[in-house]
Amino acid sequence: MPFTTQFSLSLELAKILPLRAALNASSETLVSFVRALKRSGSDFLVEEDLAAIFGRGKIEPSLERSFRDVVVDLSFTPFHAESQIILDARPAPTLVRALKDRYYMSSVIQLSFLVWMHEETTLAAALEESMRIRFDSGVKGATPDPDYDGILKTFQFRWDDLVARVESKFQKSKHWICQSQSPSRSLPPNLLLEAMDCFCLVQSLPEDRLVMVESQVGLIPIIIWTHFILGLAVLVKDSPDGNVIFGTIENPPIIIKWSPKLPSHNLYSGVPHQLHQERSFVAPTIYLLDASLEVVLKTEPHGNEGIRIEGQECHRLRGYGTTSLQRKFNTTSMVVDNDPIYAEAANFAVAFALLLSKSMRRVPFKEQWAPSERSDEIPTQCYLSTEQWRLFDSSKLLFWGLELDKRIINGYVEKLTGVSVADMVVPSGIRNYLQKLENDTYENNRYKFIENIKEAASWILAFAQVVDIESCAELPLTFVPGWMFCKGVLAWEGLEAIDIESDAWFNLVLKMMRKDTRSGRDIPESEGVFLTSHNGWSLFYNSVGDHDPGTVNCELLSIKRGVPTNTLTEERKYRISDAPSVERDVRLPSLIEKGTSYLSRCITKVYKRTEHYSSRSSEFWLSIRFDIEAPDFPPYTLRQRGREVKRNIRYPIYASHAQFHKALWGIVKTLPCGHPDKDDELLPLDLGAVTVAGLTWANGQGEYTDSRIFICLVKGDARGTVACRAWNSPQLRLWCS
């Protein structure tokens, strides 16, 4: 920033009321607040630095009321019975303070909006750079760059309704402005730097100062920030829809000049598995003008090209698929919102999801299981068990506002069954639409459309695994079109089976929830994570808790409001992982029966289960201790009061939820027996099968390793079954009886 600009900015900001002193509380109150803030995962100095900038703005009263009404009506949910962790959706210390003080509320609301519209890490880097420039420029009260990670922990709120209101004003530019990669949807760094001071300056001196932006780059966030949040009028000049005004006053203090030189062609390649190629759009020059339209300040794009803010907006789960279809159909032409082609595409996507669900296998059954890969050798229990009603519930939420007809959907399924993707015929309305497109051949456009449908079907399948999906309608998801596929779906040709890994649904939903996947990169969670929290919602495996493995559907997920919080320490973390394995001597199992029959009973028993949580910098670690009691083998007796008594031994083993989920995923449940279960009934023991006492061993260890099947005697002890399954390889042919 040139010296003259630095000096002018300092003079201009001196006209605003003096900056507020942050440390105005008693030392005891301040220390308590800083401690609470640290436990919540935030940073006191970062929040004060940001509030010194954004706290100066006066929020439009109706928006502030709506914001307060939403954020205060929240509670907490127990993670599961007997856990010291809760999912806390109540206001964190940052928001509690903001609810009491409009200075901090102003900062929270503006940052909430910026995080909603932009990718978090690039936004944080741009804020950091802008704060450094302000400090170097000698702006009064400016501080050097804050902690980078601290910026990412600001509260987030949904803003998609306001985004839609802005989009509706530009119908003639819909094919350009509504695309996720449109430069109209994100702020360039120089505009963010100017906005940090000039918007509140204009708000303080509305008749003496105005801001002019020379192109439509950053159009949507500028309008929402200045008009809907700060209550300023905005004029967009010379757009294809004419002069568009937000507000009622004659001389709006914010002017955006629509530039015809800015490319407005298709921003989306149409091929979902290809990432969007980055396009360079020149950031606009921003002017601060006085009442006579003389230039007071001029901010041009600064030279640090490494600082770039990527647009990555959120959208609620309800209607996510509908909005996606509307954007994709409007990439190369204009299609009105009530066109029946949207419902036709949605019904086709549901049919595709039903078709895919019949081809997905949970247990791969490769090599030693079924070397020939013949489908008749693979038990039906190995395929996904997603019920149709779950698929329809997921579809209704995703395609909210579109009519889904089960009769039409089933008709599509009938026509597509047994047909390869290359030979699939798309519905007539869509076929007519694709034939009219001039950007490519019909066959290429049909291929691109099928790829889009595969992506939508992946969403349907993923959210069909979520328990009580209707309660997740407000879940914020990120818009990164073209790469949110379930693994294996993109390459599916229509006839072959798809093997689904244990974390497939978890990772797909996680991709859609979080906003740190820059440029569409797939960044999986680290090994052992079984809960992750983003945007105030937590995603975790449905098997979490003290459950009987026989009743758990390991394919299901849970999504609930709240952030993991330790009720004992009040710490908040955004992930929970399995703690590293505790190295202990493994007690190998011992043979009980080998012959023609056995008695189903419990020999090895878990008499106590204890959860141990520990805290790390960014996550909780969980280790579950199972205290085991089992007969000592070889048989050993003690003489007590003249009698020989068999000695039992006690020892602990450790496991956790991610480990248990992965083990359950590889299990094939046997079909129910036809005969009644009697406690004293002898059951047949096939050749090569043995019963054993003990819960832990690796394949190839212990007695009778040449046996074909091991039957672990844990009847009636659900915790013993959990420990047995979590500790042993899915490749080990192990039955629990």
Side-chain angles (χ1 to χ4, degrees):
M1 188 181 288
F3 173 76
T4 54
T5 303
Q6 297 176 22
F7 182 72
S8 299
L9 181 60
S10 296
L11 285 178
E12 287 295 313
L13 292 176
K15 299 174 184 178
I16 306 178
L17 293 175
L19 297 177
R20 170 175 174 150
L23 305 179
N24 57 0
S26 68
S27 59
E28 183 178 351
T29 303
L30 184 63
V31 169
S32 298
F33 175 73
V34 172
R35 284 177 176 166
L37 205 62
K38 184 177 181 180
R39 287 194 297 268
S40 74
S42 194
D43 184 279
F44 175 75
L45 293 179
V46 172
E47 296 200 358
E48 288 297 332
D49 288 344
L50 293 171
I53 297 170
F54 296 100
R56 296 170 295 173
K58 297 177 182 178
I59 302 301
E60 202 279 325
S62 63
L63 184 137
E64 182 177 342
R65 285 195 299 271
S66 298
F67 193 94
R68 288 175 178 272
D69 289 344
V70 171
V71 298
V72 299
D73 188 23
L74 298 172
S75 58
F76 68 89
T77 304
F79 184 33
H80 66 84
E82 302 177 2
S83 174
Q84 69 190 59
I85 300 295
I86 61 173
L87 299 179
D88 196 352
R90 295 170 297 184
T94 301
L95 192 53
V96 170
R97 178 172 62 168
L99 291 169
K100 299 176 181 178
D101 191 327
R102 287 188 172 179
Y103 172 74
Y104 294 107
M105 178 60 79
S106 176
S107 178
V108 166
I109 289 176
Q110 292 177 77
L111 287 168
S112 167
F113 164 68
L114 290 174
V115 174
W116 180 274
M117 290 294 297
H118 300 91
E119 193 276 326
E120 292 175 358
T121 53
T122 57
L123 174 63
L127 283 169
E128 180 184 21
E129 176 74 1
S130 297
M131 293 175 79
R132 182 192 63 77
I133 292 174
R134 293 176 76 254
F135 182 75
D136 292 343
S137 302
V139 173
K140 184 179 180 180
T143 56
D145 53 279
D147 171 58
Y148 177 85
D149 291 328
I151 292 175
L152 300 182
K153 296 183 174 70
T154 56
F155 185 81
Q156 295 196 26
F157 183 66
R158 59 176 178 82
W159 297 87
D160 48 331
D161 287 342
L162 295 181
V163 173
R165 287 174 64 179
V166 174
E167 292 174 348
S168 67
K169 295 280 190 175
F170 299 95
Q171 289 298 315
K172 293 182 179 179
S173 304
K174 186 176 180 179
H175 66 287
W176 179 79
I177 202 172
C178 291
Q179 299 306 314
S180 298
Q181 301 299 306
S182 170
S184 68
R185 308 187 79 82
S186 60
L187 293 171
N190 68 313
L191 207 159
L192 175 66
L193 174 61
E194 185 85 354
M196 289 166 73
D197 291 306
C198 288
F199 288 170
C200 64
L201 181 63
V202 170
Q203 192 181 47
S204 298
L205 305 168
E207 296 181 359
D208 296 325
R209 295 291 182 266
L210 61 90
V211 169
M212 185 176 70
V213 184
E214 68 172 8
S215 82
Q216 62 270 34
V217 173
L219 174 78
I220 293 177
I222 294 173
I223 293 172
I224 295 176
W225 193 350
T226 56
H227 176 63
F228 292 102
I229 297 177
L230 298 179
L232 301 171
V234 180
L235 170 64
V236 182
K237 293 188 64 176
D238 304 324
S239 80
D241 295 89
N243 290 344
V244 179
I245 190 164
F246 293 83
T248 56
I249 63 174
E250 295 181 359
N251 299 309
I254 308 295
I255 300 173
I256 302 170
K257 296 179 66 176
W258 193 284
S259 173
K261 297 180 181 180
L262 194 67
S264 59
H265 55 279
N266 177 17
L267 299 170
Y268 178 55
S269 67
V271 183
H273 63 281
Q274 295 178 350
L275 299 178
H276 304 291
Q277 297 180 352
E278 295 200 16
R279 292 171 167 82
S280 297
F281 293 97
V282 177
T285 299
I286 304 101
Y287 300 90
L288 179 66
L289 309 175
D290 62 17
S292 60
L293 301 184
E294 293 293 327
V295 176
V296 178
L297 285 173
K298 177 182 177 181
T299 305
E300 297 178 338
H302 55 71
N304 188 355
E305 296 182 357
I307 301 298
R308 183 182 70 254
I309 308 176
E310 295 185 10
Q312 196 176 92
E313 64 179 302
C314 286
H315 192 289
R316 286 169 290 177
L317 174 58
R318 181 193 285 127
Y320 182 92
T322 303
T323 301
S324 177
L325 287 178
Q326 289 171 344
R327 292 186 178 185
K328 288 178 179 178
F329 276 114
N330 281 277
T331 54
T332 53
S333 63
M334 293 180 62
V335 182
V336 295
D337 290 348
N338 60 353
D339 195 298
I341 195 174
Y342 297 120
E344 194 173 48
N347 282 290
F348 193 71
V350 179
F352 217 92
L354 287 167
L355 203 64
L356 279 165
S357 68
K358 299 176 182 179
S359 301
M360 290 182 164
R361 294 187 305 206
R362 179 170 54 82
V363 180
F365 260 72
K366 292 179 179 177
E367 298 177 358
Q368 74 270 25
W369 293 92
S372 65
E373 283 287 337
R374 285 174 49 192
S375 60
D376 59 349
E377 294 179 350
I378 301 174
T380 57
Q381 306 97 292
C382 296
Y383 285 84
L384 290 183
S385 58
T386 308
E387 299 93 337
Q388 282 199 11
W389 66 266
R390 292 188 183 277
L391 290 167
F392 282 116
D393 282 355
S394 171
S395 303
K396 284 187 289 187
L397 204 53
L398 282 162
F399 297 112
W400 190 264
L402 299 178
E403 183 179 354
L404 299 180
D405 190 319
K406 290 185 179 181
R407 180 184 57 81
I408 294 175
I409 292 169
N410 290 331
Y412 288 152
V413 172
E414 186 177 343
K415 291 179 181 178
L416 297 176
T417 300
V419 179
S420 67
V421 170
D423 296 327
M424 287 182 180
V425 178
V426 300
S428 58
I430 294 169
R431 184 166 62 252
N432 293 336
Y433 165 82
L434 297 176
Q435 288 172 341
K436 293 177 182 178
L437 296 180
E438 299 178 355
N439 65 316
D440 208 338
T441 65
Y442 166 75
E443 191 53 40
N444 285 343
N445 284 327
R446 187 197 70 88
Y447 171 80
K448 295 170 187 177
F449 170 74
I450 293 292
E451 299 290 79
N452 289 331
I453 290 300
K454 284 183 178 181
E455 183 181 40
S458 294
W459 306 340
I460 294 169
L461 285 161
F463 286 102
Q465 316 307 317
V466 177
V467 176
D468 192 20
I469 186 63
E470 292 86 355
S471 66
C472 302
E474 299 297 314
L475 174 71
L477 303 173
T478 185
F479 255 121
V480 184
W483 63 280
M484 290 181 179
F485 287 87
C486 173
K487 189 175 181 181
V489 170
L490 180 61
W492 187 62
E493 294 298 330
L495 301 175
E496 72 279 14
I498 303 174
D499 291 331
I500 303 298
E501 298 176 0
S502 63
D503 58 357
W505 304 128
F506 186 91
N507 282 339
L508 177 55
V509 174
L510 177 59
K511 286 183 200 177
M512 301 176 74
M513 285 178 62
R514 70 183 182 182
K515 291 169 66 69
D516 58 355
T517 48
R518 282 195 281 174
S519 300
R521 294 180 311 191
D522 184 0
I523 308 176
E525 283 287 6
S526 60
E527 186 73 18
V529 173
F530 61 85
L531 180 148
T532 184
S533 182
H534 294 271
N535 305 327
W537 293 73
S538 291
L539 165 71
F540 53 97
Y541 293 119
N542 192 55
S543 55
V544 167
D546 188 8
H547 299 299
D548 183 343
T551 63
V552 171
N553 184 346
C554 63
E555 298 168 18
L556 298 182
L557 303 171
S558 287
I559 302 177
K560 296 184 182 296
R561 284 186 185 271
V563 177
T565 303
N566 192 320
T567 55
L568 301 180
T569 64
E570 296 185 357
E571 283 185 290
R572 285 189 173 203
K573 303 294 181 182
Y574 294 88
R575 296 193 311 186
I576 309 181
S577 302
D578 287 2
S581 300
V582 177
E583 295 295 334
R584 289 185 174 273
D585 293 335
V586 176
R587 295 182 177 271
L588 301 178
S590 299
L591 176 70
I592 301 296
E593 293 148 328
K594 181 181 182 181
T596 59
S597 62
Y598 76 100
L599 180 64
S600 179
R601 60 202 186 278
C602 183
I603 287 185
T604 307
K605 181 173 63 175
V606 174
Y607 66 89
K608 187 178 181 182
R609 176 188 181 277
T610 312
E611 293 189 358
H612 297 280
Y613 285 92
S614 59
S615 182
R616 296 298 181 266
S617 60
S618 60
E619 63 183 1
F620 292 122
W621 280 0
L622 171 64
S623 180
I624 305 175
R625 172 174 168 143
F626 295 88
D627 287 294
I628 312 297
E629 183 177 56
D632 195 8
F633 288 91
Y636 183 78
T637 57
L638 295 175
R639 185 171 294 279
Q640 294 181 356
R641 297 181 181 180
R643 295 185 304 167
E644 289 187 351
V645 181
K646 290 185 178 180
R647 187 184 75 171
N648 285 352
I649 56 172
R650 292 187 171 187
Y651 59 93
I653 62 174
Y654 293 83
S656 196
H657 293 309
Q659 180 183 355
F660 177 46
H661 168 78
K662 191 171 184 179
L664 278 179
W665 193 265
I667 291 174
V668 180
K669 293 184 180 180
T670 56
L671 296 174
C673 300
H675 60 274
D677 184 15
K678 298 179 180 178
D679 291 339
D680 57 351
E681 180 183 11
L682 291 176
L683 302 175
L685 196 60
D686 294 337
L687 185 65
V690 296
T691 62
V692 293
L695 299 178
T696 59
W697 72 98
N699 196 15
Q701 293 182 338
E703 297 182 67
Y704 297 93
T705 55
D706 58 340
S707 299
R708 186 170 57 89
I709 296 174
F710 299 91
I711 300 175
C712 191
L713 298 176
V714 289
K715 181 179 180 179
D717 184 9
R719 291 175 173 177
T721 307
V722 170
C724 182
R725 287 305 348 174
W727 260 91
N728 296 295
S729 167
Q731 280 70 42
L732 189 66
R733 293 206 172 203
L734 179 67
W735 264 251
C736 294
S737 176

